Amino acid sequence: MLTVFEEEEKILRALSSGASGYLLKMSSPEEIARAIRDALAGGAPMTPRMARYVVDRMAQLLPLKRDYGLPAREKQTLDGIVQGKTKKEIAAALDMSFHTVDTHLRNIYRKLVVNTRTAAVAKAMKDGLV
């Protein structure tokens, strides 16, 4: 789509209607030629700002649910943390030793790339892990 309109709604409408890309008429002749070559090669040419808008909208429409490779016991341990339980309470509820819970927590922190309980809870809530 080659247009003068830069409104975000028009970008989405054009792309959802089958446009291979979205470029403004004020683009240089070189940019237009490169965009045509990119579209013919299977690309989706658009300005970086437009691409960021499309990516952000997709993230809102299709939130990614990640599991970070947590096995069932680590997910159960994480759920205990989210509920505000202590390691001792989690161990009792899951019928495992305190040291096993501690090992699970270290694994969870490493996989979620966090260093604290608060950060683990925040990431679990944000990414829909619990």
Side-chain angles (χ1 to χ4, degrees), residues 23 27-41 43-46 48:
L23 201 62
S27 301
S28 71
E30 294 82 17
E31 289 173 316
I32 294 171
R34 184 177 52 242
I36 291 169
R37 285 191 300 276
D38 288 348
L40 288 172
M46 62 184 73

Side-chain angles (χ1 to χ4, degrees), residues 47-69:
T47 67
R49 190 180 81 67
M50 290 177 193
R52 170 54 40 206
Y53 172 73
V54 171
V55 168
D56 290 346
R57 282 298 300 261
M58 291 302 295
Q60 291 171 355
L61 297 174
L62 301 169
L64 184 61
K65 188 170 183 175
R66 304 165 85 176
D67 71 359
Y68 294 94

Side-chain angles (χ1 to χ4, degrees), residues 70-86 90 93-94 104-105 108 112 117 120-121 124-125 128-130:
L70 299 176
R73 292 304 256 180
E74 287 178 2
K75 286 181 184 177
Q76 292 169 334
T77 303
L78 182 58
D79 187 51
I81 293 171
V82 170
Q83 293 175 23
K85 294 180 180 178
T86 65
I90 294 169
L94 298 178
H104 286 325
L105 286 176
I108 291 166
L112 298 183
R117 277 178 164 245
V121 169
M125 299 297 285
L129 294 172
V130 292

